[in-house]
Amino acid sequence: MSVLTRTESLSLFSLSAACVGIIANTFQGDGEPLIASLAFSGIAFALSFSLVRWLGDIFMRAGLKGRDMATAKKVEIPEAMGAVCAVVYLLVIIIFIPFPFYKDIVAATSGGGNRDVVVELQQVETGRFLHRFPHSKLASYLSAILSLQAVVILGVGDDLFDIRWRHKLLIPAFAAIPMLIVYFVDFGVTQVVVPVQLQPYTGDLVDLGWLYYVYMAAIAIFCPNSINILAGINGIEVSQSLVIAVLLVINDMLYLAPITHYPHPAMDSHLFSLYLLLPFIGVSLALWAHNWYPAKVFVGDTYCYFAGMVFAVVGILGHFSKTLLLLFIPQIFNFLYSSPQLFRLMPCPRHRLPRYNARTGLLEPSTAPFQHPPAAPISLGLKLLHRLRMVHVETNGRGEILESTNLTVLNLCLVWWGPLRTDKLAIRVLALQMGCGLLGLTVRHRLALLVFREDNLHV
């Protein structure tokens, strides 16, 4: 586990060398930040893949290990390896900082290598043209890094000390403070467009004021925790994050494609999104290679916080938070479906992952036993969901509920399709995630015209 094979070493070295060459070549032009970001993503993949392999045994000796309950042998494997990928990601996007601003640095600095511009002697003596530098863009980028650093630190604390849900629920809100402050100072828009059907009564725009910041803080809380809730089998945390990231990249590319009016007013926002998402995909692919069934490592809570905060950052600072939520449809459904257990309206075991049947080697829905008959409204609701095949309940001769399946999307899929092997279950959930995401993008860019006057893709 701790040693790379010869083929892996050569492949990773070749990839890294090629990426370094591409990065060096970008300085021949205007910096080409998007190409540089792709190259940095390759380096991030190679470094993450190697470090996850090399540091596994060290993590286990430090006590960061767990047993895979979805296998017959239940062997111990390293845990919290998502922290390694998060640190690599942070280092990469910090090193990447000069590339999006290369042209601005050259233009704002006398003698900065801009050979195509003739600079007057008085201007050279005066020095820098810093008023031309896009400080607001740099502030957004730096606040994103600061928020991500904060959530990674808090996530590592959770992995080390196993913080309880009621305490760690608001962790991402504290990490989002730098991002929200920069949004307030540099952008500050709190108005939302009203659907056409309501505009005769409310006008074209409604100013939410401070409620808009509550909404953005709620997104920063929801995204990391929703990924953490939809977890429990090999590969599902990383895979769902990769699907969401790819869908966001597709959304970004729609604003950069030749078919779009160029330059689009939102182009800089979506380039900012790509600069953060491409390295994220690189480190996540490296982690996925070790976490997919049968898992060789566990990702830990740090990865869930980190991944969710990446999405929250690009959605908020990229100014497409509503589009982001359309890509989180399975996570939103999972949260609403799980809410009776999360809010203690019915028994909620600490771990609600599907149960492994050692005889068949398949996963089955896990259950929550009732020590006492539930209240009448809960009992009625569960029996209704049972009739709709949204949950499975066991009752006694008097019709009292003895146990029900845990309310998670993973268990619901097993109720629908019966026992499945871990990877088969993960693939079906990911197909659901991709299908809902593509539907969300279709709604955003096609059906939105039924509610709003125009889609900003065609501005």
Side-chain angles (χ1 to χ4, degrees):
M1 170 60 193
S2 60
V3 179
L4 293 170
T5 65
R6 181 179 178 83
T7 302
E8 289 172 339
S9 299
L10 289 174
S11 299
L12 294 174
F13 176 79
S14 300
L15 174 63
S16 300
C19 290
V20 169
I22 292 171
I23 292 170
N25 192 55
T26 59
F27 288 107
Q28 301 300 320
D30 292 328
E32 303 297 344
L34 190 56
I35 294 175
S37 182
L38 281 168
F40 274 109
S41 302
I43 293 174
F45 170 83
L47 189 56
S48 297
F49 192 99
S50 303
L51 288 175
V52 167
R53 188 70 61 84
W54 293 335
L55 297 178
D57 292 340
I58 296 175
F59 273 52
M60 291 188 68
R61 289 197 295 271
L64 294 171
K65 56 186 177 181
R67 294 186 182 277
D68 189 352
M69 304 305 292
T71 60
K73 296 182 180 180
K74 294 181 172 53
V75 296
E76 288 187 335
I77 57 177
E79 201 167 17
M81 297 305 291
V84 175
C85 295
V87 171
V88 171
Y89 174 84
L90 288 172
L91 291 175
V92 166
I93 62 173
I94 288 172
I95 297 171
F96 178 71
I97 290 175
F99 288 84
F101 306 99
Y102 178 75
K103 289 175 63 176
D104 301 297
I105 292 171
V106 170
T109 308
S110 59
N114 193 348
R115 294 183 294 271
D116 299 325
V117 177
V118 177
V119 181
E120 298 292 337
L121 177 62
Q122 183 179 0
Q123 293 175 329
V124 173
E125 292 174 349
T126 301
R128 300 165 181 262
F129 306 111
L130 293 180
H131 63 281
R132 300 180 183 176
F133 190 85
H135 293 94
S136 60
K137 294 180 184 178
L138 179 60
S140 296
Y141 196 91
L142 295 178
S143 70
I145 294 174
L146 191 56
S147 290
L148 291 168
Q149 285 176 331
V151 84
V152 168
I153 292 171
L154 294 170
V156 170
D158 185 18
D159 278 328
L160 291 176
F161 304 112
D162 197 17
I163 304 172
R164 298 192 66 83
W165 267 103
R166 63 177 177 268
H167 299 140
K168 66 183 181 182
L169 182 64
L170 297 178
I171 283 177
F174 295 106
I177 289 174
M179 172 178 59
L180 296 180
I181 290 175
V182 168
Y183 183 93
F184 173 76
V185 172
D186 285 337
F187 197 67
V189 174
T190 57
Q191 296 174 322
V192 294
V193 180
V194 177
V196 173
Q197 294 79 2
L198 298 178
Q199 288 181 5
Y201 310 101
T202 62
D204 294 349
L205 301 171
V206 170
D207 190 356
L208 298 180
W210 62 271
L211 288 175
Y212 195 81
Y213 292 93
V214 174
Y215 158 72
M216 290 190 291
I219 289 178
I221 293 172
F222 174 76
C223 290
N225 284 296
S226 65
I227 291 175
N228 207 359
I229 294 173
L230 184 50
I233 62 174
N234 292 171
I236 195 66
E237 298 97 330
V238 185
S239 298
Q240 66 179 298
S241 300
L242 279 169
V243 170
I244 294 171
V246 169
L247 289 168
L248 285 171
V249 168
I250 292 173
N251 180 65
D252 292 330
M253 294 306 296
L254 291 175
Y255 291 84
L256 305 177
I259 60 174
T260 306
H261 174 69
Y262 186 86
H264 193 280
M267 184 180 71
D268 286 342
S269 296
H270 288 279
L271 282 173
F272 169 83
S273 173
L274 285 172
Y275 299 154
L276 295 182
L277 287 172
L278 293 177
F280 173 77
I281 291 174
V283 299
S284 295
L285 283 173
L287 186 60
W288 179 87
H290 294 87
N291 184 240
W292 185 251
Y293 178 83
K296 304 175 186 66
V297 301
F298 290 135
V299 301
D301 289 337
T302 301
Y303 179 82
C304 298
Y305 286 126
F306 153 64
M309 186 56 74
V310 169
F311 301 141
V313 165
V314 299
I316 292 172
L317 295 180
H319 313 303
F320 52 88
S321 57
K322 295 186 292 295
T323 304
L324 174 68
L325 291 178
L326 288 173
L327 304 184
F328 270 77
I329 292 174
Q331 285 73 20
I332 293 172
F333 173 80
N334 186 57
F335 171 74
L336 296 174
Y337 182 63
S338 299
S339 57
Q341 287 189 306
L342 297 177
F343 294 106
R344 304 297 177 179
L345 299 177
M346 58 180 287
C348 181
R350 182 166 174 76
H351 297 291
R352 300 181 296 160
L353 64 159
R355 181 177 63 240
Y356 177 74
N357 188 325
R359 183 175 60 83
T360 62
L362 302 177
L363 295 179
E364 300 174 350
S366 61
T367 58
F370 285 80
Q371 301 298 327
H372 306 285
I378 302 298
S379 178
L380 182 62
L382 287 174
K383 289 179 180 178
L384 177 61
L385 291 175
H386 177 77
R387 286 180 175 272
L388 297 173
R389 295 196 67 234
M390 296 292 289
V391 71
H392 180 76
V393 299
E394 295 287 344
T395 59
N396 58 19
R398 298 187 298 274
E400 297 173 339
I401 296 178
L402 299 176
E403 67 177 18
S404 75
T405 53
N406 284 307
L407 304 181
T408 68
V409 164
L410 296 178
N411 286 304
L412 177 60
C413 290
L414 294 172
V415 169
W416 286 344
W417 297 314
L420 293 169
R421 204 173 71 179
T422 300
D423 54 340
K424 301 296 183 183
L425 174 58
I427 289 172
R428 295 196 183 195
V429 173
L430 296 176
L432 181 66
Q433 180 85 54
M434 179 62 78
C436 289
L438 292 175
L439 175 62
L441 289 180
T442 302
V443 169
R444 176 66 185 86
H445 296 298
R446 292 291 179 227
L447 301 184
L449 293 175
L450 300 176
V451 181
F452 300 103
R453 294 190 188 279
E454 57 186 14
D455 173 23
N456 63 3
L457 181 60
H458 303 100
V459 171

